[in-house]
Amino acid sequence: MTSRILILDCGSQFTQLIARRVREAHVYSEIHPPTRSLEWIRDWNPTGIILSGGPNSVTDAGAPTFDLRILDVAPLLGVCYGLQWITHAEGGRVVAGGGREYGRAQITVEESGGLFSGFARGERTTVWMSHGDHVEEPPPGYIKTASSGGNVIAGFRHATKPIHAIQFHSEVAHTMRGAEIIANFLFTVCGAEPDWTPGSFIDHEVAKIRALVGDKRVICGLSGGVDSSVAAALVHRAIGDQLTCVFVDTGLLRLNEREQVQKTMGEHLGIKLVTVRAEDRFMKALAGESDPEKKRKAIGHAFIDVFEDATAQAGEHAEFLVQGTLYPDVIESASTTGGASATIKTHHNVGGLKADMKFKLIEPLRELFKDEVRRVGRELGLPAEMVGRHPFPGPGLAIRILGDVDQAKLDTLRKADAIYLDEIRKAGLYDDIWQAFAVFLPVRSVGVMGDGRTYDNVIALRAVTSTDGMTADWFPFPYDVLAKISSRIINEVPGVNRVVYDVSSKPPATIEWE
């Protein structure tokens, strides 16, 4: 990758969208906290820098701030808070309140060119605003490029340096020509190359993996899901038979999962695969545990124990462990100091690993969103049915059983989930849905089956649409499909007398229930 954009997160709820929009333009981007030192930023050698929005006023104690010399490192775009920080740091005037704007707004382009290349001077366009403070006077040496109602400054640029700033959120879909504005920054202002493609990513990662691994042995924790399968195929391309994949049957898998994985990875892709039956070990680790965070960590620790034992038994003496960690996993698992991201939940392959494990990690997909992983998988030649599979969490059905886990609950959930997915496929809806699954609830309800009263379990159904898993909307099933799913589950799964459908979006809910 010759071009890359550094995004410094000042706390905006839209920061991840900036990264996505840049990558959609085929330019690599990464999100980092605003606490990165000037030396670190220079060493990272960005093609361009974006300062995100954020909830703070620039004068607040503890508000994100930067070394002023950052303005000379690379072309820079300030978005919302980023614009206000530039104003404050360069001697302009930021005023609290008064010019606050939230939601859709009209701006007037006052200067064509730069960020507004392709726009006519005086043209009005719809944008998304979300600010309380406003810039009353741009810094000396800066020129106003756009304004909103009441002549509030909506954009400016430096007269001679490649520094641009906007008060609105170009990354949000409600900004009608936002993608065009971002592209103008990338290609007109920064001179970036659109070289972030699946092929270039594969070439880069293959070279990096070979240099890191040398002649050492590598083990991959394979779940059969898209992430671990693509990670395995990518590492296999880099080092061939130095890789051994270990598929752990945790007893927390979907119906017939083990057989499907063995067939696809072993027979179709020719990757060395070792299957470990460890159901008892995981059930023991989960015994009596109902807290979702503790369940995830127990499973993460058990995975490492199993991998270490499997490596020793196979005589592989592996030094590296491959995992299919994705960018949303990293964002959700670790709070970024000074950034927007708070810890939402621990992913078993990020925050749930043992501190004293023997392996060094290889996470070749760590900076990718899910849709990018799918594109890489297709480029690697993985079967369409594998690349198109819905996400399945590493902890498996354990986090789809609310409360403690036992074999009876697993059997019930496994059957209900299989029926659910079967009916979705029959209805031709599988590829329209990002993720669909059943959840075993820790409640029982009264029902009537035949002539008798029942007091049985409740199954919740979840189905969402999404692009990358960072945000999601519930899927609007046709009523007849939902009715068929409910009828089959209640009639075919012993111990279930009620089915409910989850109509929560993310946010405020997460996709998984735990």
Side-chain angles (χ1 to χ4, degrees), residues 459-509:
I459 293 291
L461 305 178
R462 179 78 157 139
V464 298
T465 58
S466 182
T467 300
D468 50 40
M470 296 303 299
T471 61
D473 289 319
W474 58 277
F475 182 75
F477 275 114
Y479 292 147
D480 61 330
V481 175
L482 273 179
K484 181 69 179 296
I485 293 167
S486 175
S487 177
R488 278 197 62 192
I489 290 174
I490 290 172
N491 282 289
E492 298 178 31
V493 182
V496 176
N497 68 358
R498 192 177 299 270
V499 174
V500 298
Y501 185 56
D502 180 354
V503 293
S504 308
S505 62
K506 175 186 180 181

Side-chain angles (χ1 to χ4, degrees), residues 202-214 218 231-243 362 364 380:
I202 290 168
D203 291 343
H204 179 267
E205 285 300 315
V206 163
K208 190 166 79 171
I209 291 164
R210 286 173 179 165
L212 175 66
V213 171
V218 178
L234 181 56
V235 174
H236 186 255
R237 175 169 291 192
I239 61 173
D241 289 342
Q242 289 171 248
L243 171 70
I362 297 176
L380 288 167

Side-chain angles (χ1 to χ4, degrees), residues 313-378:
Q313 291 169 10
E316 295 291 349
H317 305 295
E319 293 189 19
F320 295 92
L321 170 65
V322 178
Q323 293 200 120
T325 308
L326 303 192
Y327 207 17
D329 299 339
V330 177
I331 293 168
E332 288 191 341
S333 292
S335 176
T336 305
T337 303
S341 307
T343 299
I344 298 169
K345 58 188 176 185
T346 298
H347 288 262
H348 86 284
N349 55 343
V350 182
L353 297 180
K354 294 170 62 179
D356 61 346
M357 71 174 183
K358 301 174 183 177
F359 301 111
K360 301 171 186 175
L361 282 181
I362 297 176
E363 298 173 304
L365 311 179
R366 187 180 177 90
E367 302 302 334
L368 298 188
F369 292 95
K370 176 71 79 171
D371 57 315
E372 294 172 328
V373 173
R374 295 190 197 280
R375 289 198 288 270
V376 169
R378 294 186 189 99

